[in-house]
Amino acid sequence: MTALVPAVAEAAALFEGLDPDEVLIWSGAGISVEGPTSLPSGPELTRRVFDAFFEAGALARVLTYHQVVGLRTSPLCAYDTTLPTSRLPRLETALDAAARARPDASPGTFDILDDVRSAAPNRLHAFAAGHLALGGLHVTANFDTCVERAYEARHGRPVPHDAVHHFHGSFADSPDGKALGATLSLIRTGFPHAEIQRLRRLLSAHRAVLVLGYSGSDYFDVDRFVAALPPDALHGLRVLWVMHAGHEPHVPERDPIALQTLLRRAGADVHVLCGPTDLLVGEIARRWGLEPLADPPRRATADPRLPVTDAERRRATFLLYRSLGLHREVRRLLDAQATGTDDPVELRAVRSRLLWEAGAWSTLRRMWWRAPADGPDHFLRAERIGASLWAQGRLLPAWVWLRRCRRHVAEGTDESYALEETLNRVIEHMHRTPDLRPLARRLLARMPEPVADAAADDADADADAAQDRSRSVAALRALQDVRDSLGALRGGRPRENQAHAEESTTWFQETGDLQGMLSYRHRALRDGYRANGGPEVTDARLRESYDEIITANLFLGSKAGAWRTALLPGAHRAFRVHEYLFALATLEYGWWHRFRLLAWYLPRRLHHQLTGTRRT
């Protein structure tokens, strides 16, 4: 054990000269894994949810899709020899689908966390309780109240008011679990304004933060909160992040977790230690005069069983596949009539999405023309008709139709965001089309300033408004993306900044929406072609990057996502003539648009073949 002491002592020395009340402890699920608490780790809990609520084999199917599209998890610590594996879906995404599949038993869905309600504290909770007794404060992502229980058991009284803060809620405040930040619909809008202010006060009131058992995977709220801090907001704050691993403690060469990098950008002095958590905690406990850590008892995990019917499993699985963009699986369940619903409105929306991803835009438009113009989905009908015209390259009819429909929709609604996004996509597409570019310039000149700010303002609105729009974030991101593009065009410059597309790629990746992720990968390739796909990149490498998008889309079941890749910049370098013709014939473009695309492609391909530019 002596070989471990130097690394541990060096890390603990970061708190030299600091009183315990100057150190904030920030914890996650990792501190509740040891016995006697014995709660599941994040991955274990995700597997438990899949076993409880979804059809057999659902998780294996999802992991296969993750593997194909490149969603993998790699070891975070250098001495971990585990090979990269498919990344598990987010727990919040899975629980969200499970809760929506059981609307009559929604509170009971959270009984899957029943062992969290009554968990017994372990030695790490006892350490945190000792820190509270010395005047410290504690912030946690955990739903359990083990730190509070450990304090009460030791001191015979409740913890001081606000000494422990659960930023995702706890069972003490939400006994039925409905208010916990355990579902995507509750976390994806980020923290409300009051929570942001509270966390800022907690960080600014301390000189150091000790991070224990925390995965740093709260992309939608914690990451966004830290990313929005001014560059020097955390100047002077020391952060020691302990990443548990069962091997020799060491300092990784890079930040294994994105949040650690964000903390550095905000001015914090971040130190990361990989190794056994108890070694460092034991050393800090000794320095603070707390009791030594006891040996942990054997871990004994529970596995709550819930009464979930086969119909609920089918419904949950169908909703999950839809939210993940697994069109092949959605089509399979639809054909087998295993959707768990006979609602014609929902089924029409599902068929609409499948037709869109198949590139069957004429068929899609005819389907919506036949749908009731005054039905409950009449706004979706209006947008999909316009979107079908746009996708086919029938840009003038699309603009006229969408502009007329937009006038009849209230501001600030999902419908208005969807219609405006599609309308703006049409104008953007017009600007890339020589015969319509003069009209696009006139339309851009008439658009009000600023083009790109409104959605960002909406996305950052505080508590109640953001919660009211909890289903609108994807629409806001898409609308912001096209507004950025139009803003660049107004300024007379092409949009070459990939930042927004890459951020949106990450956002959809974190929600688990694989189709959304691939769509913005496509966008990032287009935006970054001049910088990343120009003369410095070989034709073979360009084709490889385009083939990755094609393969992933085809595996998901999206022909449209796959063969729209032939329209990316540099297609004349990456695709042979017969391949380009196949892409045009496979998708239901309008005939005039096919002529436009060929008129763009063929001269460039011929010139490229004659000059032999970058063919190696």
Side-chain angles (χ1 to χ4, degrees), residues 154-347:
R154 180 63 184 271
H155 300 284
R157 62 180 185 277
V159 297
H161 180 63
D162 284 344
V164 181
H165 176 53
H166 299 259
F167 57 78
H168 282 160
S170 74
F171 276 112
D173 300 320
S174 178
D176 63 4
K178 291 180 68 175
L180 299 179
T183 58
L184 193 60
S185 58
L186 285 180
I187 66 170
R188 63 184 175 185
T189 54
F191 287 134
H193 180 72
E195 180 67 28
I196 290 172
Q197 295 302 107
R198 183 173 189 171
L199 291 176
R200 290 194 68 167
R201 286 194 301 269
L202 282 167
L203 291 176
S204 63
H206 292 84
R207 296 176 61 188
V209 179
L210 174 61
V211 183
L212 299 174
Y214 182 59
S215 66
S217 60
D218 291 314
Y219 174 80
F220 302 102
D221 40 37
V222 177
D223 280 31
R224 289 170 62 186
F225 156 67
V226 175
L229 292 173
D232 293 325
L234 302 182
H235 179 72
L237 181 70
R238 280 176 258 177
V239 176
L240 174 56
W241 193 310
V242 184
M243 301 180 61
H244 183 75
H247 47 63
E248 181 179 349
H250 69 279
V251 177
E253 295 181 358
R254 58 177 180 82
D255 290 332
I257 296 172
L259 182 55
Q260 295 161 352
T261 302
L262 294 175
L263 287 166
R264 293 185 197 276
R265 291 177 185 172
D269 181 19
V270 181
H271 299 262
V272 182
L273 180 69
C274 286
T277 302
D278 59 343
L279 293 183
L280 178 71
V281 170
E283 175 64 15
I284 293 176
R286 184 188 68 79
R287 295 181 181 221
W288 284 351
L290 299 176
E291 289 187 3
L293 295 189
D295 291 332
R298 184 176 180 178
R299 189 180 182 214
T301 58
D303 191 7
R305 294 293 179 181
L306 303 185
V308 182
T309 67
D310 289 343
E312 288 173 336
R313 289 179 183 274
R314 285 194 297 271
R315 180 68 174 150
T317 304
F318 182 65
L319 290 173
L320 179 72
Y321 290 160
R322 286 182 63 192
S323 67
L324 299 182
L326 307 186
H327 312 301
R328 187 189 303 275
E329 302 302 326
V330 172
R331 188 177 295 110
R332 177 178 62 84
L333 295 180
L334 187 65
D335 292 343
Q337 297 183 338
T339 64
T341 183
D342 57 2
D343 179 8
V345 174
E346 179 181 350
L347 293 177

Side-chain angles (χ1 to χ4, degrees), residues 394-595:
R394 304 180 193 276
L395 302 179
L396 274 177
W399 178 76
V400 172
W401 170 265
L402 290 165
R403 187 166 175 267
R404 187 184 72 177
C405 294
R406 179 67 181 83
R407 292 173 178 170
H408 301 291
V409 178
E411 293 288 342
T413 61
D414 277 2
E415 292 80 11
S416 69
Y417 294 136
L419 285 168
E420 185 178 348
E421 184 221 340
T422 308
L423 180 61
N424 287 353
R425 295 284 184 205
V426 171
I427 297 173
E428 179 190 34
H429 202 160
M430 284 181 176
H431 199 278
R432 298 203 307 269
T433 306
D435 53 317
L436 294 176
R437 188 169 296 138
L439 175 59
R441 287 172 176 162
R442 291 185 62 184
L443 294 175
L444 284 169
R446 291 164 53 188
M447 293 181 70
E449 298 260 16
V451 176
D453 291 340
D457 292 340
D458 283 343
D460 293 334
D462 62 4
D464 294 336
Q467 291 299 328
D468 288 343
R469 285 195 307 274
S470 63
R471 302 173 72 102
S472 308
V473 180
L476 286 167
R477 289 217 63 82
L479 180 56
Q480 181 64 41
D481 176 79
V482 70
R483 282 175 167 172
D484 285 348
S485 181
L486 293 181
L489 294 176
R490 281 176 66 104
R493 63 188 188 282
R495 193 177 86 158
E496 299 175 3
N497 183 3
Q498 293 173 264
H500 191 276
E502 289 176 348
E503 182 181 347
S504 294
T505 301
T506 304
W507 193 91
F508 283 101
Q509 172 181 306
E510 291 295 332
T511 64
D513 183 348
L514 302 186
Q515 187 61 65
M517 180 189 75
L518 291 178
S519 295
Y520 278 96
R521 278 189 190 171
H522 182 284
R523 179 89 184 188
L525 285 172
R526 194 185 81 189
D527 291 348
Y529 173 72
R530 290 177 182 270
N532 303 323
E536 298 303 318
V537 176
T538 65
D539 292 356
R541 180 67 192 95
L542 188 67
R543 176 60 188 258
E544 182 181 345
S545 64
Y546 289 178
D547 276 348
E548 289 172 0
I549 295 288
I550 292 173
T551 301
N553 272 291
L554 288 177
F555 196 75
L556 290 185
S558 176
K559 287 198 300 184
W563 298 116
R564 280 190 310 112
T565 306
L567 307 187
L568 283 169
H572 61 287
R573 296 171 50 195
F575 296 98
R576 297 182 178 88
V577 174
H578 72 277
E579 293 173 319
Y580 196 81
L581 291 174
F582 174 82
L584 295 189
T586 299
L587 306 181
E588 293 181 0
Y589 294 114
W591 288 107
W592 177 246
H593 195 53
R594 285 183 172 132
F595 173 78

